[in-house]
Amino acid sequence: MCGITARVGTDDALEELLTSLSNLEYRGYDSAGVALLDGDLDVCKCEGETDDLRAAVESRRPSGPIGLGHTRWSTHGPPTDENAHPHTGCSDRVAVVHNGIIENYESLRTELRSRGHEFTSDTDTEVVPHLIEERLDAGRDPEAAFREVVDVLEGSYAVALAVEDDDVVYATRNGSPLVVGIGQEANYLASDIPAFLEFTDRVVYLEDDEVAVVGPDDVRFTDVDGRPIVREPQTVDWAAGDAEKSGYNHYMLKEINEQPVALRQAVEGRTDPGAREIDLEDLPPGTFDDVERVLFVACGTSYHAAMYATSLLQRRGVAASTSLASEFANEPMPLDESTLVVAVTQSGETADTLAALREADRAGARTLAVTNVVGSTAAREVDDVCYIRAGPEIGVAATKTFSSQVATLGVLAERLRGDVGDGEPPDEAFLRGLERLPDAVDSILEANRTERIADSYAGMDSYFFIGRGIGYPVALEGALKFKEITYEHAEGFAAGELKHGPLALVTTETVVVAVFTGENDEKTLHNVREVQSRGAPVVAVAPESATEVHRAVDDVVEIPDAPEELSGLLSNVVLQLLSYHAADLRDRPIDKPRNLAKSVTVE
Ligand code: F6R
């Protein structure tokens, strides 16, 4: 999704602005631009990558102490120089960057055209600078002009404005993320913290409709009516190095390798297996006594983690189900205060998930966010929040956050068991299994031989991932990751479903990756034999002790023996590595797969 950044200081903003834009690349983009303000505005923007922008900037060297930057992920109009942000009006007096969608842009554009404005782009954004210009012409000061224009915008947006001869940047948001960074030498603005994390770790998350006026020495905040408000900065506990590649070829590989640490952080201090107790910070025993059922809402990888958690809850006597957040509004279901709606979202900014949460809130349900990002919109809008503590994830393909979500949801399942489910105390073996996960993942990473497997099955037609029970969401996740970064055709199935249709597709050119968790493995072996008798090669991911599986398949990747409920998490690490190496062999842009964005802030 589009990334906004700004830097306001007294020295030249360009270099830090370009660094911030590079740091935002992971969000996904197809063009980029900057506007530098030093009395006059100088805009430089182009289709392509931030390196293309650097080259364009080299020849022009725009300079100034105030800078706006933008990475664009096309929604209205193709990736072209003209459609890249910042956008200016007819007279180049104002520069605007925007993330989100302005839903009423067509009517605004028609009105502006009738008043003589000429447009140079296809974007929804361009109406904003033209509207600002009109207000400035009518004698408004820039801040008043900004407020009036934002007031007529419909949709979801984060927007920032610089005006010639001014010395601040104006910014606001409605439904799209925006965070202010308070630095020593300068102040910053961005869609996400990694943009400016190397310059400051003191942040203020802007709330919807609040306006930030970012100056070189201070940042002023006002509410929707323009009344001053006090916002104290928080210090984020991410180190700048967390958002760097640290010698790895890709963020994805780095993040796969960070899973032992991430898992330790997710579980540490939250479990006491010997005492069969858990300590979930603000969610002590009894927190959910009034809850009768749990409904997860999530998208993509987080949806698979939610499916995994649903299974964990059902096994603990909790009535639980999972809904795709993007389908939530289409499947109205009875919700009231006895339903706990749990949004599982790494970023806490996914528009579909936020829409589902808001719908649940309107219906009177209790809401909980399980998220990675402190201060994200989801975290701020719910009744309760539980952090997965994975640290920043930059690769577009979610890896360590899936593992951290599952581990955190595992702890949560043990809390909900007491309050809503079978009333049993937390399961000692499961809690010990959670604590051993970091070591188990370490051993998978050390023994990794998926590169050879990826190589031996390159060039096949399709890749099917199958699993049952907890292995089913893992199969879905394995297929999602594989297709997302290799661009090969991959599908995930419940193992038992193959014979109800998909088997028709299986040929000698279909690789079947089978996930074995130690639970009902003999049934999954039947399904394996069904595909083998059609000539399909089978790769199994199975516990060390599953010797029968080892004998039955063409290739096997072992995972350490663990409680069955956790072996799915371990298998998924193997599938991440398999996807990574398959994509690397094909020379794909692993961290930034085509057409995808890290944080999907439009519905
Ligand atoms: C896939 C992936 C996406 C996200 C999905 C939800 O690798 O990363 O499917 O899982 O867009 O994102 P969050 O968790 O931020 O709500």
Side-chain angles (χ1 to χ4, degrees):
M1 293 285 108
C2 299
I4 288 177
T5 188
R7 192 235 190 228
V8 185
T10 49
D11 52 345
D12 191 23
L14 182 62
E15 268 318 308
E16 285 196 359
L17 206 56
L18 290 172
T19 304
S20 291
L21 285 180
S22 301
N23 293 344
L24 283 175
E25 283 186 334
Y26 73 96
R27 292 170 66 85
Y29 73 109
D30 44 41
S31 48
V34 289
L36 275 296
L37 174 62
D38 190 7
D40 290 335
L41 271 166
D42 197 350
V43 174
C44 186
K45 55 185 190 167
C46 62
E47 178 196 347
E49 310 226 329
T50 54
D51 282 348
D52 300 309
L53 179 66
R54 272 187 187 273
V57 155
E58 266 320 299
S59 51
R60 289 258 307 274
R61 260 348 267 184
S63 66
I66 298 172
L68 288 183
H70 191 266
T71 48
R72 175 173 186 256
W73 189 79
S74 309
T75 54
H76 294 71
T80 60
D81 292 356
E82 293 72 29
N83 288 337
H85 299 213
H87 285 285
T88 53
C90 296
S91 58
D92 292 348
R93 275 180 297 158
V94 301
V96 168
V97 290
H98 159 232
N99 170 25
I101 292 180
I102 297 169
E103 283 164 8
N104 58 337
Y105 83 100
E106 286 192 34
S107 57
L108 291 171
R109 189 189 266 254
T110 308
E111 286 168 23
L112 283 159
R113 276 212 174 102
S114 72
R115 296 197 290 268
H117 289 264
E118 285 177 15
F119 286 79
T120 54
S121 80
D122 310 312
T123 64
D124 51 340
T125 308
E126 201 190 337
V127 295
V128 180
H130 288 277
L131 289 167
I132 301 265
E133 260 178 3
E134 285 194 338
R135 268 54 176 196
L136 293 175
D137 287 342
R140 306 283 190 284
D141 64 54
E143 184 171 343
F146 184 64
R147 284 180 184 286
E148 283 183 23
V149 169
V150 165
D151 213 36
V152 302
L153 303 181
E154 289 168 17
S156 73
Y157 50 80
V159 60
L161 162 75
V163 179
E164 72 172 8
D165 295 328
D166 204 355
D167 56 2
V168 294
V169 162
Y170 306 90
T172 191
R173 57 161 276 173
N174 177 33
S176 293
L178 206 52
V179 56
V180 175
I182 311 290
Q184 299 279 355
E185 310 294 327
N187 293 313
Y188 304 86
L189 184 74
S191 300
D192 205 353
I193 295 167
F196 55 64
L197 188 58
E198 56 199 272
F199 310 127
T200 182
D201 59 2
R202 296 177 66 232
V203 307
V204 175
Y205 297 93
L206 215 57
E207 301 278 355
D208 276 354
D209 300 325
E210 285 179 359
V211 172
V213 181
V214 184
D217 304 318
D218 68 338
V219 182
R220 224 165 17 84
F221 296 94
T222 53
D223 70 9
V224 62
D225 300 316
R227 285 185 294 255
I229 48 173
V230 178
R231 301 295 313 275
E232 291 302 336
Q234 315 176 19
T235 303
V236 286
D237 59 2
W238 296 351
D242 291 349
E244 288 165 9
K245 274 192 212 152
S246 315
Y248 287 94
N249 285 342
H250 298 97
Y251 282 110
M252 182 178 177
L253 189 59
K254 177 186 178 231
E255 286 155 5
I256 289 173
N257 277 281
E258 283 172 346
Q259 288 177 110
V261 174
L263 284 165
R264 203 162 281 123
Q265 289 169 177
V267 174
E268 208 159 51
R270 288 175 160 174
T271 56
D272 183 343
R276 299 183 72 185
E277 280 176 5
I278 55 172
D279 177 5
L280 257 183
E281 301 100 46
D282 299 334
L283 308 174
T287 306
F288 301 110
D289 272 349
D290 296 336
V291 170
E292 285 171 16
R293 61 182 186 283
V294 174
L295 171 62
F296 289 97
V297 290
C299 304
T301 293
S302 295
Y303 177 73
H304 299 146
M307 284 177 73
Y308 199 130
T310 298
S311 184
L312 295 180
L313 283 180
Q314 286 167 347
R315 290 154 190 248
R316 286 160 179 75
V318 180
S321 56
T322 322
S323 174
L324 277 171
S326 56
E327 283 295 308
F328 191 71
N330 311 321
E331 302 166 344
M333 58 180 90
L335 292 177
D336 58 27
E337 67 283 353
S338 68
T339 311
L340 176 67
V341 173
V342 183
V344 183
T345 166
Q346 183 281 128
S347 61
E349 301 294 350
T350 301
D352 288 321
T353 307
L354 292 176
L357 262 184
R358 288 169 189 151
E359 187 64 39
D361 186 52
R362 273 193 294 276
R366 179 147 172 201
T367 55
L368 169 71
V370 175
T371 183
N372 194 28
V373 182
V374 177
S376 57
T377 305
R380 284 181 283 117
E381 291 194 4
V382 286
D383 298 319
D384 293 294
V385 61
C386 183
Y387 291 107
I388 65 168
R389 308 171 175 172
E393 186 177 69
I394 306 295
V396 163
T399 51
K400 66 172 175 174
T401 53
F402 175 87
S403 294
S404 299
Q405 283 169 338
V406 170
T408 307
L409 289 164
V411 179
L412 182 68
E414 292 293 358
R415 161 65 70 250
L416 287 163
R417 147 180 256 166
D419 291 358
V420 193
D422 57 19
E424 294 289 322
D427 180 61
E428 183 180 343
F430 181 75
L431 296 190
R432 289 205 190 281
L434 281 174
E435 290 190 347
R436 287 194 198 111
L437 282 174
D439 291 341
V441 172
D442 252 334
S443 71
I444 292 172
L445 296 171
E446 266 170 39
N448 176 27
R449 50 187 217 77
T450 53
E451 188 169 358
R452 185 197 61 70
I453 295 178
D455 193 27
S456 24
Y457 297 105
M460 301 289 271
D461 283 351
S462 282
Y463 299 80
F464 282 10
F465 292 73
I466 62 169
R468 78 169 1 87
I470 266 167
Y472 172 41
V474 173
L476 294 180
E477 174 57 13
L480 175 65
K481 210 93 312 172
F482 202 85
K483 70 180 86 164
E484 172 178 27
I485 61 168
T486 66
Y487 309 162
E488 298 289 343
H489 176 240
E491 294 293 333
F493 300 103
E497 277 298 296
L498 281 182
K499 58 186 176 296
H500 298 293
L503 207 50
L505 292 172
V506 171
T507 69
T508 53
E509 297 299 302
T510 312
V511 183
V512 176
V513 181
V515 176
F516 290 86
T517 59
E519 230 176 7
N520 287 321
D521 282 354
E522 62 298 340
K523 289 194 181 169
T524 308
L525 268 179
H526 286 311
N527 307 125
V528 160
R529 293 198 176 101
E530 286 159 10
V531 297
Q532 283 177 324
S533 56
R534 272 98 192 155
V538 176
V539 179
V541 184
E544 276 163 16
S545 56
T547 46
E548 205 186 329
V549 174
H550 295 216
R551 282 194 297 274
V553 297
D554 301 276
D555 269 299
V556 63
V557 184
E558 287 179 3
I559 55 164
D561 287 329
E564 288 159 1
E565 290 183 330
L566 294 173
S567 58
L569 187 158
L570 299 179
S571 301
N572 188 58
V573 175
V574 174
L575 301 185
Q576 293 168 351
L577 288 164
L578 181 68
S579 293
Y580 174 81
H581 291 299
D584 201 29
L585 284 168
R586 290 163 176 79
D587 214 13
R588 303 291 190 228
I590 293 181
D591 286 331
K592 290 175 270 168
R594 70 182 173 208
N595 306 335
L596 298 180
K598 182 70 182 163
S599 183
V600 186
T601 53
V602 291
E603 278 182 59

